[in-house]
Structures are given as C-alpha cells and as structure tokens.
Amino acid sequence: MSERSVSKSREQKRWYNVLAPEQFDRQQLGETLAEEPQQVVGRTITTTLDQLTGDSNANNTKLTFKITDVGSDSAYTEFIKYELTRDYLRSLVRRGASKVEASITVLTTDDYRIRVQPVALTTKKADRSQEKAIRRVMIDKVHAAAEERTFEAFVDAIVDGNLSSAIYGDAKEIYPLRRVEVQKLTLEARPREVAAEEEAAVDVDADEVAVDADE
C-alpha cells in the first residue's frame, strides 16, 4: 500500500475516547481508532489501578474493560477482569512458606457469574490440613460476599481490599499469615447469558423427561 493510500485510510478513520464505567467515574482509559463505530464494540483495553485512582501503590493491579457501546466520539465500557501483575505475585512468595490458592465461581445478587482466585501466603510452612482449612475459609468468604453483593459492589470489595481483609481475619486463626490477596477476578457471564444458559438447561431436562416417558 502506498503512503498516499495509508494516509487516506487514516483520514477516513476517527478517534474514540474510551471511557471507564460509572463505577470508575467515567474516567478516560485511552483512545481507539476505527472507520465505523461498530468496529469499536468488543475491543478491550487494560490499565493499572493507579491510573484510575492516582494511588501509586496500586500500580501492581491491572483492570481490563470491554467496549460495549459507542457514542459520537466516545466508547463506553464494562469491567471484565481484575488481575495482579506477575511480578507482584512473585514478590509475595517466600521460601519455606505456604502459598494457598483457590478458584471459585459464584453468582452475585444481580446474576453476574464471576470466577474469583484468592491466594493466602503464610509466614512459615503450614501442613496439609491447615492449608485445606485456609482454602475452606477463602471459599466460604467468597461465596458469602457474592450472596450479599451486586457485581459492582463485589468488584468494589476486591478493589478496596475488603474481601482480602475478611479472609485474612478468619484464616489467620488457623495459621499465621503474611498476606492475603485476590490475584484474579474474571467476569464469566452476564445476567442475560446466565438466564439463557438456565433456559437451555431446562429445555434439555424437559427433552430427557420426554424421552424417558416414551421409553
């Protein structure tokens, strides 16, 4: 493609300001270039928490947003992932100590299905029964948090560190802990997707019942 063709192609495109959801005060996340508005929908953008909060201590947390709607010159997003950086996670691990992890799928009160992956770091090496008990606390606390929170409130509880603190408070009674973090949260399904899955499951069950009756 000639330089003239490239230049003309860029002239036909326009920049869209990518904005965070209202939960994050509609802050600008960046810009994206496209010829048509519909080309922007579905794109993702990742930033660090410190870019949104101004807290320099939050540069080890990455947030990912997905564009769901486009206005005249703005692209609107939804939150889809929270994740700690690998470097930060590696810095938490100590030789001769235990690293207890869990992966938990829960449904919030407004029917968002999310996967939550907390991690607890002990001061010294815990035995298997203690690690199992700490994992049980993590699972119970995550389920309890989801049962009383909307998706937005659940995300806030992780970003603010409230869920990590709740896990720490109970799990430290089992074995001394150095730190508890939520290393990752991923949005797996939205309410309409969850409802569609449930409807499909009901249809399958009904078909199986009909087959059994025919037999």
Side-chain angles (χ1 to χ4, degrees):
M1 185 180 291
S2 68
E3 291 184 7
R4 183 175 180 181
S5 297
V6 172
S7 177
K8 185 175 180 180
S9 176
R10 288 185 66 85
E11 288 176 0
Q12 293 173 343
K13 295 181 179 181
R14 62 183 301 179
W15 287 100
Y16 295 87
N17 294 319
V18 182
L19 304 178
E22 290 184 8
Q23 179 181 7
F24 296 95
D25 300 324
R26 293 290 190 198
Q27 294 188 60
Q28 184 170 340
L29 301 171
E31 294 180 311
T32 189
L33 188 64
E35 292 180 0
E36 300 292 339
Q38 60 267 29
Q39 295 175 334
V40 176
V41 176
R43 291 181 182 177
T44 61
I45 186 167
T46 299
T47 188
T48 52
L49 183 58
D50 65 314
Q51 295 295 315
L52 296 178
T53 64
D55 180 3
S56 59
N57 294 321
N59 62 355
N60 51 30
T61 302
K62 297 188 296 182
L63 303 177
T64 301
F65 301 87
K66 183 176 182 180
I67 297 174
T68 58
D69 194 18
V70 182
S72 58
D73 60 357
S74 297
Y76 302 97
T77 63
E78 65 173 350
F79 169 85
I80 61 170
K81 186 187 292 185
Y82 168 104
E83 187 174 16
L84 298 181
T85 63
R86 291 182 181 179
D87 288 345
Y88 177 66
L89 286 172
R90 280 197 294 265
S91 74
L92 297 178
V93 179
R94 295 289 187 273
R95 184 176 300 176
S98 294
K99 178 183 180 183
V100 185
E101 299 175 287
S103 183
I104 310 143
T105 299
V106 292
L107 205 64
T108 60
T109 59
D110 50 354
D111 290 336
Y112 281 81
R113 189 171 70 235
I114 54 180
R115 181 176 292 274
V116 188
Q117 296 171 258
V119 58
L121 292 307
T122 64
T123 56
K124 295 181 180 179
K125 183 65 176 176
D127 63 36
R128 292 184 63 181
S129 64
Q130 291 166 330
E131 291 180 359
K132 184 177 180 180
I134 291 171
R135 187 174 293 108
R136 183 74 259 168
V137 168
M138 292 195 289
I139 293 170
D140 290 346
K141 284 295 184 182
V142 169
H143 276 285
E147 288 171 2
E148 61 185 25
R149 287 177 173 84
T150 63
F151 174 59
E152 182 175 317
F154 193 99
V155 172
D156 285 342
I158 289 181
V159 171
D160 296 340
N162 293 334
L163 181 54
S164 296
S165 296
I167 294 172
Y168 182 91
D170 281 7
K172 71 177 181 179
E173 303 300 324
I174 299 167
Y175 194 85
L177 299 179
R178 194 165 52 80
R179 197 164 187 87
V180 172
E181 297 275 9
V182 173
Q183 57 184 331
K184 192 173 184 179
L185 176 151
T186 308
L187 171 61
E188 290 195 338
R190 299 153 189 82
R192 62 181 180 277
E193 296 164 340
V194 171
E197 290 173 1
E198 292 176 348
E199 184 176 344
V202 169
D203 290 341
V204 170
D205 290 342
D207 291 341
E208 291 178 350
V209 170
V211 170
D212 290 342
D214 291 340
E215 292 177 349

